[in-house]
Amino acid sequence: MIKKRKIGLIGGGQIGGNLALLSVQKQLGDVVLYDIAPAEGMIKGKALDINQLSAVDGYDCRVTATTDPKGLAGCDVIIITAGVPRKPGMSREDLLDINLKIIKDVAANIKAHCPDAFVINVANPLDAMVYALHKITGFKKNMVAGMAGVLDTSRFKCFVAAELDCSIRDIEALVLGGHGDDMVPLLRHTTVGGIPITKLIAKEKLDAIVKRTREGGAELVKLYQTGSAYFGPAASSIAMAEAYLFDRKRILPAAAMLDGEYGLPKGYFIGVPCQIGAGGVEKVFELELDAAEKAELAKSFESVKKTVDSVKL
Ligand code: APR
C-alpha cells in the first residue's frame, strides 16, 4: 500500500494557515498544523474550516491541529513558520532574539519527533534561523533548507511581468544571497522568452525593479501594518516541499549550507540555486559571476554572517 504523505506545519498563523490550505488543494498529503497552547483555538478552527471546504472540490487530504509535538511524528516534510513577523519600521534582523528562542524550541521538537523529515524554514531572519536549526538538530545539511529565494525571485518576476506586460511564465530569473535588503537579483541571468532582460527594459527601470524586489517584504509590512507577507511565502514554500515529495529535482534558489561554493566560507546558509528532490537539497549549483555580481554577493554574505555570528545557541 502506498502511504499518504504527512506534512507538518510548525506555526499555524498567517503563513501556516495558507500552507495548510495549499497542501490540501494540491493534495500533497495529510496535514498536521502544530502551534503553542495559546493558539489552540485558532489552529483547530483553521483545520476544521479547511476540512469543511474539502467536499467542494473533493480533496481527500485532512488537516489535524495539535499543540502536542508528538503529533509531528512521521512527518515527511516540515515547514516552519513559528515566529514573530515584522512590524512597520523593523528589519528582519530585529527579530533575531525573539525568533531564536522560538526556533530552539521548534528544533528540539523536530529532532525528537520527526528526525527523518526534510525541513524548510521560513521564520526570519531567514538565513540565521536556518543556521540555528541545522546546528541544534544536527540533521544532515541536505535535509535542512530555508525558503527565501523562490519568493524573492517570484517578486522580481512579478515586477518584470508588470513592466513588460508579458506572461510571467516566460521569465527566467534568479535572486541569490541572503534574504535581506542586499539580496542579489542576477540581471545577467534574467531572460524573457530567451531575450536578455537588459535588451527589453532600460537601466533606470531595471534598477527600480531591483530596489523594489529587495524591499519587497518591507513594502508588504507597510501595507499590512500588523504583520508580513503570507500568500507569497506560503506558495513559495510549497514549491520546495513539492519538489522534495515528488522528487521533481527542480532547480530553485534556496538557503542551503555552503561548502566552499562561490568562494564563501563553509558552514553558513545563504540563497543559492539548489536542486531539490527526494534527497532534499541534492546539489548546489555554482554560477560564474562577474566582478560586480561577486561583490554584491560578498556584501550580502557579510550581512548574513554578521547576524549568524551573533547567534548564541
Ligand atoms: N512553536 C510553534 N509555534 C509557535 C511557537 C513555537 N515555539 N512560537 C510561536 N508560534 C506560532 C505563533 O503562535 C503563531 O501562530 O507561530 C505563529 C506565527 O504566525 P504569525 O504571527 O501569523 O506569523 P506569520 O506571518 O505566519 O510569519 C511567521 O515567517 O516570514 C516569516 O517573518 C515571518 O518570522 C515570521 C514567520
Side-chain angles (χ1 to χ4, degrees):
M1 192 180 81
I2 296 171
K3 243 180 75 208
K4 223 180 199 178
R5 302 302 192 102
K6 189 169 168 185
I7 294 110
L9 306 177
I10 304 191
Q14 294 282 44
I15 306 175
N18 278 290
L19 286 169
L21 178 61
L22 285 171
S23 300
V24 168
Q25 288 183 319
K26 291 188 163 236
Q27 310 214 46
L28 300 185
D30 288 333
V31 175
V32 179
L33 196 53
Y34 167 82
D35 208 308
I36 49 177
E40 188 170 11
M42 176 189 64
I43 55 167
K44 291 215 157 134
K46 286 184 182 178
L48 183 60
D49 200 354
I50 293 172
N51 287 333
Q52 288 174 359
L53 73 75
S54 295
V56 178
D57 285 316
Y59 304 128
D60 287 316
C61 298
R62 296 285 166 271
V63 184
T64 48
T66 181
T67 56
D68 181 351
K70 289 195 199 87
L72 297 167
C75 280
D76 297 287
V77 65
I78 292 282
I79 307 177
I80 302 167
T81 61
V84 174
R86 288 195 274 174
K87 300 277 178 327
M90 288 173 85
S91 74
R92 294 185 181 90
E93 287 66 33
D94 292 335
L95 301 171
L96 181 67
D97 290 345
I98 184 159
N99 282 350
L100 193 55
K101 281 196 197 107
I102 294 174
I103 207 82
K104 284 180 183 173
D105 175 51
V106 168
N109 282 333
I110 295 174
K111 192 173 175 178
H113 301 292
C114 39
D116 299 320
F118 178 53
V119 186
I120 302 165
N121 174 63
V122 185
N124 277 310
L126 193 279
D127 306 272
M129 287 299 118
V130 70
Y131 170 89
L133 182 73
H134 174 253
K135 277 270 177 231
I136 301 167
T137 57
F139 286 4
K140 289 192 185 128
K141 66 172 184 162
N142 57 302
M143 295 304 277
V144 181
M147 188 297 294
V150 176
L151 175 62
D152 296 330
T153 304
S154 184
R155 284 179 174 152
F156 180 64
K157 287 183 180 179
C158 158
F159 302 142
V160 168
E163 176 60 32
L164 293 176
D165 191 21
C166 71
S167 169
I168 205 155
R169 294 182 186 202
D170 294 328
I171 306 171
E172 279 294 333
L174 187 58
V175 178
L176 288 188
H179 188 46
D181 295 345
D182 38 26
M183 64 182 76
V184 190
L186 288 180
L187 300 181
R188 226 164 39 90
H189 295 78
T190 303
T191 56
V192 182
I195 306 162
I197 191 75
T198 45
K199 302 268 182 227
L200 297 169
I201 303 180
K203 186 176 179 314
E204 310 76 66
K205 283 212 168 132
L206 264 182
D207 288 348
I209 287 175
V210 167
K211 184 169 185 293
R212 192 168 177 201
T213 302
R214 288 183 167 143
E215 295 168 4
E219 183 177 358
L220 285 162
V221 169
K222 204 167 158 205
L223 289 167
Y224 283 143
Q225 288 289 312
T226 51
S228 49
Y230 43 95
F231 295 121
S236 306
S237 312
I238 290 292
M240 290 174 64
E242 270 188 296
Y244 171 73
L245 290 169
F246 299 110
D247 192 22
R248 292 216 203 278
K249 303 204 184 294
R250 288 201 63 193
I251 298 172
L252 298 170
M257 196 170 107
L258 294 184
D259 191 22
E261 294 90 353
Y262 295 92
L264 297 172
K266 294 182 181 189
Y268 290 87
F269 282 77
I270 193 164
V272 283
C274 299
Q275 184 162 62
I276 301 182
V281 176
E282 296 178 347
K283 197 169 168 185
V284 167
F285 290 89
E286 206 170 350
L287 300 174
E288 260 183 48
L289 302 182
D290 66 19
E293 291 160 348
K294 272 187 195 153
E296 284 192 24
L297 184 62
K299 183 172 170 228
S300 180
F301 174 75
E302 279 313 312
S303 306
V304 168
K305 183 174 183 299
K306 193 169 156 226
T307 312
V308 168
D309 291 350
S310 67
V311 165
K312 304 268 175 296
L313 294 175

